[in-house]
Amino acid sequence: MPDPRNYPDTIQSAESSRPLRRGVKMLTINRDGKPFTYAQPGWWASFDDPADDEGQLIDEDNVIRAAARAGV
């Protein structure tokens, strides 16, 4: 995924030292007792395993996370 902000494609996880790749992962959260799935950009250890939630968010990534939790 090209990134106009020139973020690196891969960083090392501070938690586990696993490589985290830049991209968008579909996440499901419960909002008002109902599941809500949204596209969360960030660095992720796995895009395919929904149980693997190791990742890192920065800058605009956190804006999207906050909006999803608020129901915006």
Side-chain angles (χ1 to χ4, degrees):
M1 161 180 175
D3 192 327
R5 295 171 304 245
N6 294 319
Y7 289 143
D9 291 332
T10 306
I11 62 173
Q12 186 174 1
S13 169
E15 286 182 31
S16 67
S17 298
R18 291 169 65 190
L20 303 178
R21 292 178 296 136
R22 183 81 188 157
V24 176
K25 183 169 181 158
M26 298 305 292
L27 297 182
T28 301
I29 59 172
N30 282 318
R31 204 173 60 207
D32 298 326
K34 297 178 184 174
F36 174 74
T37 301
Y38 71 102
Q40 177 63 65
W43 282 277
W44 301 102
S46 171
F47 292 101
D48 301 324
D49 182 356
D52 186 350
D53 62 358
E54 183 175 358
Q56 182 174 325
L57 308 179
I58 67 159
D59 302 334
E60 295 88 0
D61 302 342
N62 288 305
V63 173
I64 292 171
R65 180 178 186 266
R69 293 193 179 278
V72 175

